[in-house]
């Protein structure tokens, strides 16, 4: 019952979420406080456990969650990527899951629109002991080239250098941002792109693109699952392999 009320409060905050990518009631900062108080320092597994516990028992949050998180885990393990890009850091939960299973020499670059979310994520990552393996960049790929330029010039994204991308930001930007990545020529044959929330709240244009290009540049597997932290709303996670 508590979770349902937390979700109702989340729904009331959707307008604020759409503009600021925070619910507006302080739950993101409360999450960081909870993690630092209830999870062992430098224990990534315990930090993930504490976040899931907070989301089930305290306040609903829009990270990928434990059920879909296991799909993401398996995709990263199978790809064994060295350079990864995440669009939509939020509070840093999916980055924790990725960092836990990516190779020891891999680096994850995470793009976040809201500086306050980036600060929450950094605090949680530092508590988990992965602060040096994940780099958060405040911006968007659609900010007139500023973030794309930073990735290219400062972080040395080059042709064919991106092994794995995870999309979990503004759903209407999934397809435009995929095209931005393709236009930079960063993917290589075998690169993997995973997209969350394709059914709920939905990214129909992105899904249609992958259907249209199935076998002709992309091979996509659709994982049927549930929206985060509940078993009522259905969702899809798309795992797409780039063919070049």
């Amino acid at each position: 019952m508590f979770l349902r009320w937390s979700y109702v409060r989340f729904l009331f905050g959707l307008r604020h979420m759409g503009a600021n990518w925070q619910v507006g009631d302080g739950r993101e900062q409360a999450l960081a406080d909870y993690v630092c108080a209830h999870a062992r320092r430098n224990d990534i597994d315990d930090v993930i456990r504490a976040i899931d516990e907070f989301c089930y028992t305290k306040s609903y949050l829009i990270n990928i969650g434990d059920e879909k998180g296991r799909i993401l885990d398996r995709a990263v393990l199978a790809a064994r990527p060295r350079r990864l890009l995440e669009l939509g850091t939020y509070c840093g939960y999916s980055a924790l899951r990725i960092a836990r299973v990516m190779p020891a020499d891999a680096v994850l670059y995470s793009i976040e629109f809201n500086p306050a979310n980036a600060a929450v994520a950094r605090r949680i990552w530092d508590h988990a002991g992965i602060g040096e393996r994940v780099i958060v960049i405040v911006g968007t790929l659609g900010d007139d080239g500023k973030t794309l330029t930073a990735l290219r010039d400062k972080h040395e994204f080059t042709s064919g250098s991106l092994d794995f991308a995870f999309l979990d930001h503004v759903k209407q930007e999934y397809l435009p941002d995929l095209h931005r990545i393709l236009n930079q020529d960063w993917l290589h044959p075998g690169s993997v792109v995973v997209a969350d929330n394709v059914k709920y709240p939905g990214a129909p244009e992105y899904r249609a693109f992958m259907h249209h290009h199935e076998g002709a540049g992309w091979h996509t597997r659709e994982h049927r699952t549930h929206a985060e932290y509940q078993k009522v709303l259905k969702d899809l996670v798309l795992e797409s392999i780039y063919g070049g």
Side-chain angles (χ1 to χ4, degrees), residues 52-169:
D52 288 334
E53 182 177 87
F54 180 91
C55 293
Y56 275 118
T57 66
K58 303 295 183 182
S59 292
Y60 176 88
L61 290 169
I62 59 166
N63 62 60
I64 192 172
D66 52 345
E67 180 183 352
K68 292 186 292 181
R70 289 187 287 272
I71 298 171
L72 179 61
D73 295 348
R74 291 191 293 269
V76 175
L77 282 167
R80 296 194 57 78
R82 262 56 182 189
R83 181 182 294 263
L84 305 92
L85 178 66
E86 174 182 52
L87 303 184
T89 309
Y90 194 42
C91 296
Y93 176 85
S94 51
L96 289 164
R97 299 197 72 109
I98 292 171
R100 182 172 60 172
V101 296
M102 70 187 187
D105 60 346
V107 179
L108 170 62
Y109 299 85
S110 187
I111 310 299
E112 171 55 38
F113 166 77
N114 188 318
N117 287 343
V120 166
R122 286 193 195 99
R123 184 181 172 197
I124 290 173
W125 297 338
D126 286 344
H127 189 82
I130 64 163
E132 295 182 355
R133 304 186 65 207
V134 184
I135 298 170
V136 64
I137 300 163
V138 176
T140 71
L141 295 193
D143 58 6
D144 296 322
K146 180 180 177 181
T147 299
L148 290 170
T149 298
L151 290 169
R152 186 176 61 245
D153 295 348
K154 181 178 180 180
H155 301 290
E156 300 181 343
F157 275 57
T158 59
S159 178
S161 68
L162 182 58
D163 304 309
F164 193 100
F166 177 52
L167 312 183
D168 194 15
H169 58 318

Side-chain angles (χ1 to χ4, degrees), residues 198-214:
V198 175
K199 183 177 179 64
Y200 178 82
E205 296 86 0
Y206 179 88
R207 188 183 185 193
F209 173 88
M210 287 303 178
H211 280 181
H212 181 73
H213 291 278
E214 177 64 26

Side-chain angles (χ1 to χ4, degrees), residues 2-12 60 200 233:
F2 190 93
L3 179 61
R4 290 200 297 269
W5 173 238
S6 177
Y7 184 72
V8 169
R9 285 169 36 224
F10 166 78
L11 293 177
F12 280 117
Y60 176 88
Y200 178 82
L233 298 171

Side-chain angles (χ1 to χ4, degrees), residues 216-241:
W218 293 92
H219 172 65
T220 296
R221 180 182 178 188
E222 294 193 347
H223 299 274
R224 299 187 181 278
T225 180
H226 298 91
E228 41 272 24
Y229 300 116
Q230 51 78 53
K231 296 293 184 182
V232 176
L233 298 171
K234 304 293 185 181
D235 201 358
L236 287 173
V237 173
L238 266 57
E239 179 182 356
S240 302
I241 301 175

